Amino acid sequence: MDSRIPDFYEETPERRREIITSRCLLSEEDSDALGEGPNSELMDSLSENVIGSISLPLSVATNFVIDGEDVLVPMAVEESSVVAAASYGAKLTRETGGFSTSVSGPYMLGQIQIRDISDPYSAKMRVLERADEIRSMANDQGVLVSHGGGCENVTARVVDTPRGPMVVVHLLVNVQDAMGANAVNTMAEAVAPLVEEETSGEAVLRVLSNLADHRVARARCTVTPDMLEREQSSLAGEEVRDRIVDAWAFAAGDPYRAATHNKGILNGMDALAVATMNDWRAIEAGAHAFAANDGYGPLSTYEIDTEGNLSCSIEVPVQVGTVGGATRSHPTASAAMEILDVESSDELVGIFGAVGLAENIASMRALADEGIQTGHMKLHAKNIARETDAPDELIEEIAARMVAEDDIRAGRARELAEELSQ
């Protein structure tokens, strides 16, 4: 099989699919599966070399109260426990008012890297002397200024690198309701010649940074000890609370634990990003870089307040938009945005913070008591049961029997399906 396919990008999705079917010796069933899905013209406009589409379940997480308002949260993810955890975490906070959020603002950073400078520290000062001119030139690009945004500040740093010192110029850009990558990149490229002129160096990279530490979501909530109790557990709510705080302390002291702690937060945030066609990859990059600012640690914090409640908070950069990209051009993403009913990117950023914290609370509560696998295996058992092609009315019973027997496997599911169908 030869992976070289000249002018493949110029073909239609249908023709590309025929080529791939032939080259990869796909079955008719597999070929037809690639052709299933929504409008191929839309898909072709969103990516390169499109041959089809792949669907994810679009779910809605319930129980959220955010800044005093009930919110339904669309989530696109293949793992059902993610949606269940977000809904459960939000439920734990309802009696104490839900989540309170704040946002640092819709700011993104653009970077211009300048190399081959003989006097980097003086060059930095010369750049700062022309900051107003650089900012004005940046604001001549695009339409951000007419929408109330634009470049608001210009700074410069000398960065020591393995290739010697370099001057790096930062553009702080108010991107309003956009994610902002295209606007910021355009500005950085436009001002690079002026920066080169002033530094007598060469501009290499001119691009935004995904360490969006000027676009931070903050969310907090309180959970009472009684909400942490479960009938199936012998642990009192206070004991579960204390175990959660100790689990957080473990993450604060150990990057191996912190990575998984933060992955739990991003489970929820990524699913919301995919549902709204925002860039989950940028969110992941920014979140992990932010967590590593002072040695890698957890993005959320758990404490005990003066009334004995679990006090939960999170700070995480969130680079998302309500306009641009596929957020409004993709009909399902547009519908997901309508479910959220947000009026600005700042409001959406706050929701992302609340969803990440809710997801983390549910995970921490499970880890501190019955263990993470109990809930996961219940959902896994349902998936195994469905694979037997048993009648829908038997799926729950098959799954429950397998969990009770601690024997969750396809063979046992088929045995139960046959037994219960008689």
Side-chain angles (χ1 to χ4, degrees), residues 7 16-17 100 103 123 162 169 215 314 316 335 349 351 382 387:
D7 301 323
R16 293 187 204 116
R17 189 160 56 249
S100 297
V103 178
V169 178
R215 200 174 195 178
I314 189 172
V316 57
V349 166
I351 291 173
K382 288 183 181 179
E387 292 175 5

Side-chain angles (χ1 to χ4, degrees), residues 54 69 89 91 129 158 185 189 200 205 249 260 269 307 339 345 348 355 394 400-401 413 415 419:
I54 186 166
E69 299 288 336
K91 182 180 179 181
E129 288 169 6
V158 176
N185 291 343
E189 291 179 359
S200 299
L205 300 187
T260 310
M269 293 174 59
E307 297 179 2
I339 292 171
S345 65
L348 181 59
V355 169
L394 296 181
R401 289 271 295 270
E415 292 171 0
E419 175 186 327

Side-chain angles (χ1 to χ4, degrees), residues 278-298:
N278 271 288
D279 189 347
W280 59 269
R281 302 161 305 280
I283 292 171
E284 288 264 353
H288 289 299
F290 189 76
N293 267 345
D294 186 23
Y296 191 87

Side-chain angles (χ1 to χ4, degrees), residues 177-199:
D177 290 327
M179 184 274 186
N182 289 335
V184 172
N185 291 343
T186 298
M187 287 182 173
E189 291 179 359
V191 304
L194 177 56
V195 175
E196 284 182 319
E197 174 189 321
E198 200 54 55
T199 60

Side-chain angles (χ1 to χ4, degrees), residues 88-89 91-93 95 222-245 302-304 308-312 361-362 364-366 368-370:
Y88 179 63
K91 182 180 179 181
L92 294 178
T93 74
E95 73 171 33
T222 300
V223 181
T224 60
D226 63 289
M227 290 299 294
L228 296 171
E229 294 181 358
R230 289 170 65 93
E231 291 182 7
Q232 304 93 325
S233 173
S234 61
L235 293 179
E238 288 79 7
E239 177 64 16
V240 177
R241 175 203 64 196
D242 293 348
R243 286 181 170 213
I244 290 173
V245 176
Y302 292 87
E303 305 166 294
I304 301 172
N309 298 319
L310 182 66
S311 179
C312 320
I361 291 169
M364 295 288 275
R365 194 245 161 271
D369 190 356
E370 69 271 15

